[in-house]
Amino acid sequence: MRVPSTEKRKTVFTEAMEVFHAAADLIGLDPRVRLELEEPDYEHIFYVTATLNDRLAPIAPAEAARYEKLTPSKIGAAGLVPLYDGKFILRPDALRGADIHIENGVIKLEGKGLYRIEEGQSQRFKAYRVQHNQARGPYKGGTRYHQDVSLDLFKVLAAEMTWKTAIANVPFGGGKGGIKIDPRQYSTDELEAITLRYMYKLKQLIGPDVDIPAPDVGTNGTVMAWMFRQYSDGERERHTMRGIVTGKDVRIGGSEGRVKATGQGLAYCVEEWFKDKQLPIKGARMIVQGFGNVGSAAAEILDSMGAKIVAVNDADGTIYNPDGIDIPALIAYTQDKSNLKRSVAGFPGAQAISKADFWEVDCEVVLPCALGGEITAEVAQRIKAKLVAEGANGPTTPAGDEILAARGIELIPDIIANAGGVTVSYYEWIQNKRMEHWTEAEVNARLEFAIKSNYRIIQDIALNRPRRTPEFDSRPFVIGRELPTRTAAMVLALKRIEAHYLIEGFSQ
Ligand code: NAD
């Protein structure tokens, strides 16, 4: 019989919790509070099913000769949804009025070539919602649609939200969820059906005062609108339920400034860092990984502050221009309908380089805004910047952290650097509750104050500098010695969360 190992298995979750334990030890976190925070309150795993449309897949060149004489079919552009892998999704309603010729399941599309019709199948997807902690308020956190998700990953991301909402000082706890799916392989109609089914099952677990999802990787305001509709469908008081999701379109109760809020918060942190160092942000060279919601907004705002974005890497390519990339033109390029991958690859105003070369680009700031675990020890060794500001969640591994620290490269950790999104989500939630609509200037003024004052408290904890100013009071959080910035941020989070348990006590 195999003897079970006594050694604790290392996972992305246990690895991510190392900084929690380090900070908990440092402040002597109450043992029962530690147990409460060490694991999520609830881990929901469930499945959603959907019936997919037919696909048209290009046929192998060897087969093509057999169908040379096939009469071409005429299907309107609206009936064919192009996918990035060369396939098309066939919308059945488009067949009405179309002129179709099929032989052995093969169709010739006018001007496109030969395709085999793959019958639409029913498919099952694994879905998650992890509710980590609600000591400070309702669970709050994004919805991720990505092929590489797992329970362990959602546990990490949900716990991160608990720390982040405490640091941003918004009255929420932490949650995260999503579906194991590559959304780029599905049509909008299919994603709508899958999202509706996801919310159909999620509805009994969440609520505007219980757990509030938002967008994350692979989701956006459109997905939030579907989620809102499904949650409130047929309810008499559905207008009171807009706060069930944040990150909505501004025309249906979203907040001004929410789309760019995470990038905006990141830019405020970077601005503060430059101010501390008495260095000009104008002309500072920066590289950005990930050009989605967070990366593109951060690049646009920092570019408008005078920084020079010299390289961008995304899932499909890397571009480099030592004179600075034209960011508004790059945004227009990635949003062009013909750019199916929405990638920076092929952008005419820059040259293509490899991902390995990207990390070695000479610059002052690295902005990781893609996925987790990208800055490994090996990557950290090659980075030439003075600062890494984490727009993504968990982009630096613990081994990467050690190397950055040893090389004197400074860090603004994710739980403050990307807290702008959840902060404006809170403003959206309040506006929904009060049926108000704030201006973008009002939202950004509040965001700037919130991010910068909490950033200052974290710097004070890191530098062991207790202070009370008109804007903030870092005295209750400083622990009497200097700390790495990531640990300092965690100290702030844990002290704010612990206060709730110690003052309110535990419900029995
Ligand atoms: P997004 O889906 O809009 O964009 C993700 C980007 O990352 C894309 O450009 C994609 O090409 C790139 N990418 C994916 N895999 C990559 C790889 N292996 N190498 C290089 N690039 C890769 O997602 P987003 O909303 O911008 O989120 C990005 C990160 O920021 C995530 O870690 C997310 O959890 C975090 N975050 C997002 C928000 C928010 O408000 N959207 C808030 C806080 C944190």
Side-chain angles (χ1 to χ4, degrees):
M1 198 181 82
R2 234 181 90 213
V3 181
S5 162
T6 50
E7 223 171 83
K8 258 198 157 175
R9 198 167 57 94
K10 218 173 175 173
T11 65
V12 281
F13 181 63
T14 60
E15 201 173 80
M17 290 297 277
E18 283 172 16
V19 58
F20 161 79
H21 289 293
D25 288 344
L26 277 169
I27 64 168
L29 185 72
D30 177 88
R32 188 164 171 194
V33 176
R34 186 192 280 240
L35 291 178
E36 289 283 334
L37 293 171
E38 234 169 30
E39 292 289 342
D41 288 348
Y42 305 99
E43 297 168 0
H44 304 288
I45 298 184
F46 50 101
Y47 295 87
V48 294
T49 58
T51 303
L52 306 178
N53 291 322
D54 291 350
R55 261 68 178 153
L56 301 184
I59 67 166
E63 259 189 297
R66 277 175 55 199
Y67 299 101
E68 230 165 43
K69 294 209 177 87
L70 187 59
T71 313
S73 298
K74 285 187 198 138
I75 305 175
L80 294 170
V81 182
L83 295 178
Y84 74 94
D85 58 4
K87 289 187 180 181
F88 286 95
I89 294 174
L90 186 61
R91 294 188 52 168
D93 50 352
L95 295 183
R96 263 178 255 124
D99 180 9
I100 305 282
H101 305 271
I102 300 172
E103 193 182 321
N104 297 328
V106 171
I107 184 168
K108 187 187 250 177
L109 294 181
E110 224 177 22
K112 292 193 171 72
L114 290 157
Y115 293 82
R116 182 166 299 286
I117 302 174
E118 294 176 347
E119 194 189 330
Q121 310 266 336
S122 291
Q123 204 173 333
R124 181 175 54 223
F125 304 89
K126 198 165 183 174
Y128 304 82
R129 185 77 191 168
V130 174
Q131 296 166 325
H132 178 259
N133 188 270
Q134 58 168 347
R136 302 182 65 264
Y139 304 107
K140 182 86 189 82
T143 304
R144 183 173 290 196
Y145 286 0
H146 196 266
Q147 58 279 15
D148 295 331
V149 297
S150 64
L151 177 61
D152 230 35
L153 178 68
F154 281 125
K155 283 174 69 176
V156 172
L157 296 170
E160 280 238 345
M161 288 308 297
T162 302
W163 322 139
K164 201 180 300 181
T165 50
I167 285 172
N169 218 0
V170 294
F172 292 133
K176 202 89 175 193
I179 306 180
K180 192 172 172 60
I181 183 173
D182 178 357
R184 299 181 306 175
Q185 293 192 15
Y186 300 87
S187 67
T188 306
D189 301 351
E190 290 170 342
L191 288 171
E192 179 175 355
I194 292 162
T195 302
L196 296 181
R197 195 69 187 163
Y198 178 60
M199 184 51 107
Y200 173 83
K201 296 210 167 168
L202 199 59
K203 186 171 175 179
Q204 47 202 311
L205 308 172
I206 68 170
D209 293 306
V210 179
D211 183 0
I212 306 137
D216 189 66
V217 175
T219 62
N220 54 23
T222 306
V223 176
M224 295 306 111
W226 296 332
M227 288 177 83
F228 165 68
R229 188 180 88 221
Q230 179 71 328
Y231 184 85
S232 62
D233 217 7
E235 299 284 351
R236 275 200 322 167
E237 296 180 0
R238 69 188 292 271
H239 55 280
T240 64
M241 295 174 181
R242 292 207 180 266
I244 182 58
V245 284
T246 58
K248 298 180 292 288
D249 188 304
V250 289
R251 293 165 295 184
I252 61 160
S255 178
E256 300 290 345
R258 174 61 186 90
V259 172
K260 290 189 184 167
T262 308
Q264 182 72 67
L266 183 60
Y268 285 144
C269 289
V270 172
E271 196 183 18
E272 284 302 276
W273 185 88
F274 273 86
K275 205 165 124 195
D276 270 351
K277 302 282 167 206
Q278 298 181 332
L279 291 170
I281 207 163
K282 198 166 169 34
R285 294 160 308 163
M286 308 191 180
I287 64 171
V288 183
Q289 185 191 38
F291 207 69
N293 176 295
V294 180
S296 65
E300 190 182 11
I301 294 161
L302 288 163
D303 175 68
S304 71
M305 288 176 175
K308 214 155 67 166
I309 312 297
V310 289
V312 179
N313 161 258
D314 70 13
D316 303 289
T318 309
I319 57 168
Y320 171 65
N321 182 342
D323 300 327
I325 295 166
D326 179 345
I327 296 298
L330 182 62
I331 290 175
Y333 177 79
T334 54
Q335 287 177 353
D336 193 287
K337 273 207 170 94
S338 66
N339 187 343
L340 293 179
K341 292 183 175 174
R342 308 202 152 236
S343 173
V344 299
F347 178 62
Q351 70 187 84
I353 59 168
S354 71
K355 186 167 178 176
D357 289 343
F358 168 76
W359 294 116
E360 288 189 10
V361 168
D362 210 5
C363 62
E364 281 72 47
V365 183
V366 173
L367 298 156
C369 301
L371 299 183
E374 284 285 318
I375 304 183
T376 57
E378 193 228 331
V379 168
Q381 199 63 260
R382 305 213 309 261
I383 284 176
K384 296 219 169 74
K386 298 186 179 76
L387 172 70
V388 172
E390 297 182 329
N393 283 313
T396 314
T397 66
D401 255 356
E402 277 179 30
I403 306 272
L404 292 181
R407 295 187 58 218
I409 298 173
E410 293 192 27
L411 181 90
I412 306 178
D414 50 4
I415 44 180
I416 177 72
N418 69 30
V422 76
T423 304
V424 177
S425 275
Y426 167 57
Y427 302 156
E428 178 175 337
W429 186 73
I430 306 183
Q431 290 172 72
N432 292 158
K433 272 194 178 294
R434 296 187 187 161
M435 308 268 175
E436 288 180 0
H437 191 83
W438 303 353
T439 63
E440 186 168 2
E442 194 174 350
V443 168
N444 281 345
R446 284 177 188 250
L447 175 66
E448 181 169 7
F449 179 80
I451 291 284
K452 289 189 174 175
S453 50
N454 287 302
Y455 175 83
R456 290 267 153 236
I457 295 175
I458 292 168
Q459 290 303 319
D460 283 359
I461 302 170
L463 298 171
N464 191 23
R465 187 177 57 190
R467 284 194 288 172
R468 183 177 180 179
T469 76
E471 284 82 37
F472 63 87
D473 185 356
S474 59
R475 293 171 307 170
F477 306 109
V478 171
I479 69 157
R481 52 170 277 203
E482 289 189 11
L483 294 177
T485 322
R486 196 185 299 286
T487 318
M490 187 62 87
V491 163
L492 175 61
L494 295 187
K495 285 201 171 200
R496 282 185 173 154
I497 298 162
E498 186 186 40
H500 280 261
Y501 284 105
L502 297 187
I503 299 169
E504 295 166 16
F506 291 86
S507 298
Q508 303 296 332

